[in-house]
Amino acid sequence: MPQRTAFALILALAASAVPAHAAAATQASTQDADARTTTPTGDAVAILSAARIHTGDLRQPQATAIAWDAQGRIVGAGTAAELRKRWPAARRIDAGKATVVPGLIDAHAHVMELGYALMRADLSGATSQEEVVSRLKAFAATAPADAWIQGYGWDQNRWPDATFPTTELLDAAFPDRPVWLQRIDGHAAWANTAAMRAAEALEGARPFDGAWQPDGGRIVRDGTRATGVFVDAAMRLVERAIPPYDEAFREEALSRALAAAVANGLTGVHDMGVSREDLALMRRFADAGRLPLRIDAYADGDREALADLCAHGLYRHEGGRLQMTGVKLFVDGALGSRGAALLADYSDDPGNRGLLVTDPAAYGAAVIKARDCGVQVATHAIGDRGNRIVLDTYQFALDGKGARPDHRWRIEHAQVLAPEDFPRVAQLRLVASMQPTHATSDMPWAGDRLGPQRLEGAYAWRRFLDLGVPLALGSDFPVESVDPRLGLFAAATRTDRDGHPEGGWLPGQKLSAAEALRGFTAGAAHAGHDEAEVGRLVPGLRADFVVLDRDPLAIPASELADLKVKATWVDGEPVYQAP
């Protein structure tokens, strides 16, 4: 691979930004790393120098040079002169005026879904149904004539009337060809009549018109007529009619997703909801040396992948870039499609309190199963009712036999909590896995959904941090952009790219740039039990880092999204470099 330098984002870590128990874990893992570090010979060492290197180490937070061995592990940090004196024969790499930060880790994302989205019609940002149809026509002209037309990213909240669409416009443009379009949050989809008829023709299918509803989902209807929108579990009624992807398509999707990730400075991803088949594909990539970053895969609920973990133990690839040690479960839907489970009615939809996409009894059984198999639990919960169910279930399971003291169970999103439930997250020693760009994407309409009182407990990053709850930050891509710089910007400003609203939305919940950067590095590593491997640039840990054009901790927060990723390095080798 080319040997030019690399660059990407964040992390100086003030001790005050670290919860006490997380700081203790960081120091302990540093000691463990130091203990296993050996002194390599000079010709096996590489030394990179830069204007500034944020190490994430409480004992030595900044350096101007780092060194790593032939195995891609850090062996020293300090000045270039110090390190060259220790290893005079080392290979030298000069990043010039760049800033180096530990590799960025997205703590909640969907790798295969990103790949599929990159191979479907891009509907993100469309401001009307008519624009959606225009984009679909352009996409259809390049797609196989007999293939379903699939798209991703529409959001009715961007449209003039902000209401769910119907089949009419899709039917007019595509009367005979099935069309299936996922909403931006992945919790709703829009079909034309041809797609619905294909699904209704399947063996055992029921007509979508009528009054019945599937468990954990909703068919949107006008009276008794299905309008073409399917929410949460109802989506599967149509998706099972879509011809399955062949292996060549799946490989291309994974390749595109991985390339997009490293180009944006990501050296790791916590992939939430990975099937047995997708893990096998990722394993083939890992075997062939085609994984340019680390994937912490979380099994896709109480299905085959979790059964494999229970039967054969936690999975870790020998190359160190792929593992599955956790499971991702679901409780409720999403706020944008009014599927998040709330304790009281939606403020803008009286009578609707959202959806429980998993029966609470079945959810509880899956949590106990994972606990007894030694599998880390991560649960999607967005509404205050959904989060309360998670807290009640976790508390019951963790009080039982077999619970591990350092479990680090996670709440994925944790978007809306009742005030009395925030302290429980700390008491149960949970991780809040949150996505800053969700707040800035949702802020135009979240107040309408929740009302002012519930909004006080929404997207509350600062509140969690002040309670000592570890924060792991991510994007939920492809729901949001794969670019972690946007997450840093959103966390530190709580504004859109134009700086609105002035001062930030619910500004009391802002993070500092250092806290946000920690959430994408050491915080994410902690959430995956990976802090002895990644998240900081200290002896014994992996040489995963990003080279940036400027110091993210020395520029105004308003400029964080404009940082340039010059290169991304994993195991001491460049996996991306800017053109």
Side-chain angles (χ1 to χ4, degrees), residues 333-420:
L335 197 64
S337 49
R338 296 186 182 87
L342 301 181
L343 295 169
D345 293 356
Y346 276 83
S347 296
D348 60 356
D349 192 10
N352 180 13
R353 295 191 177 186
L355 294 168
L356 294 178
V357 300
T358 307
D359 175 76
Y363 167 66
V367 171
I368 296 296
K369 177 179 180 178
R371 179 201 69 188
D372 293 346
C373 294
V375 174
Q376 183 190 24
V377 182
T379 304
H380 165 114
I382 289 182
D384 50 11
R385 183 185 177 205
N387 276 285
R388 182 164 293 175
I389 289 171
V390 172
L391 292 170
D392 290 344
T393 305
Y394 279 5
Q395 183 166 354
F396 176 81
L398 293 171
D399 285 343
K401 294 181 179 179
R404 300 186 177 187
D406 191 21
H407 54 80
R408 301 187 204 178
W409 286 5
R410 303 164 54 143
I411 303 180
E412 303 302 316
H413 310 306
Q415 275 185 11
V416 186
L417 271 73
E420 60 270 27

Side-chain angles (χ1 to χ4, degrees), residues 113 116 120 148 150-152 154 178-183 185-191 195-200 202 205 208 228 230-245 303:
E113 286 302 316
Y116 295 145
R120 298 171 182 159
W148 282 51
Q150 296 190 65
Y152 182 90
W154 62 270
V179 178
W180 182 246
L181 313 174
Q182 283 196 6
R183 190 181 182 277
D185 60 5
H187 285 265
W190 176 18
M196 292 195 291
R197 296 298 171 259
E200 289 174 324
L202 296 174
F208 296 144
F230 297 77
V231 181
D232 285 314
M235 296 165 61
R236 291 196 288 270
L237 301 173
V238 180
E239 287 173 336
R240 64 195 190 102
I242 301 173
Y245 301 130
R303 302 176 63 195

Side-chain angles (χ1 to χ4, degrees), residues 343-519:
L343 295 169
D345 293 356
Y346 276 83
S347 296
D348 60 356
D349 192 10
N352 180 13
R353 295 191 177 186
L355 294 168
L356 294 178
V357 300
T358 307
D359 175 76
Y363 167 66
V367 171
I368 296 296
K369 177 179 180 178
R371 179 201 69 188
D372 293 346
C373 294
V375 174
Q376 183 190 24
V377 182
T379 304
H380 165 114
I382 289 182
D384 50 11
R385 183 185 177 205
N387 276 285
R388 182 164 293 175
I389 289 171
V390 172
L391 292 170
D392 290 344
T393 305
Y394 279 5
Q395 183 166 354
F396 176 81
L398 293 171
D399 285 343
K401 294 181 179 179
R404 300 186 177 187
D406 191 21
H407 54 80
R408 301 187 204 178
W409 286 5
R410 303 164 54 143
I411 303 180
E412 303 302 316
H413 310 306
Q415 275 185 11
V416 186
L417 271 73
E420 60 270 27
D421 285 335
F422 279 91
R424 298 180 65 195
V425 179
Q427 292 160 6
L428 291 170
R429 305 187 310 283
L430 306 180
V431 174
S433 172
M434 306 182 77
Q435 299 74 45
T437 47
H438 279 342
T440 49
S441 292
D442 297 357
M443 64 185 180
W445 47 261
D448 295 335
R449 296 282 194 278
L450 299 172
Q453 185 172 354
R454 280 187 296 210
L455 207 57
E456 293 180 4
Y459 311 90
W461 318 318
R462 167 60 54 196
R463 194 166 187 174
F464 280 121
L465 203 60
D466 288 347
L467 285 168
V469 175
L471 280 182
L473 300 182
S475 68
D476 200 13
F477 70 67
V479 174
E480 304 283 355
S481 170
V482 67
D483 188 347
R485 291 164 292 186
L486 299 179
L488 295 172
F489 170 83
T493 67
R494 292 183 76 101
T495 71
D496 63 20
R497 291 297 303 277
D498 295 325
H500 301 133
E502 186 176 356
W505 182 63
L506 305 176
Q509 297 303 321
K510 289 180 186 178
L511 301 179
S512 69
E515 291 165 340
L517 301 181
R518 173 180 167 77

Side-chain angles (χ1 to χ4, degrees), residues 29-117:
S29 63
T30 298
Q31 293 168 0
D32 292 342
D34 288 346
R36 68 166 183 258
T37 300
T38 58
T39 301
T41 58
D43 57 0
V45 171
I47 297 173
L48 178 140
S49 57
R52 184 170 298 165
I53 299 174
H54 293 297
T55 68
D57 186 2
L58 295 178
R59 299 174 298 181
Q60 186 182 7
Q62 288 189 16
T64 54
I66 53 172
W68 61 88
D69 62 17
Q71 286 70 49
R73 289 190 181 273
I74 302 289
V75 293
T79 68
E82 292 168 344
L83 299 183
R84 289 169 185 170
K85 184 176 181 180
R86 292 177 64 185
W87 295 287
R91 177 168 60 100
R92 299 180 183 184
I93 304 159
D94 184 8
K97 296 180 180 180
T99 296
V100 172
V101 298
L104 301 174
I105 303 166
D106 192 312
H108 183 116
H110 306 279
V111 174
M112 291 302 298
E113 286 302 316
L114 173 61
Y116 295 145

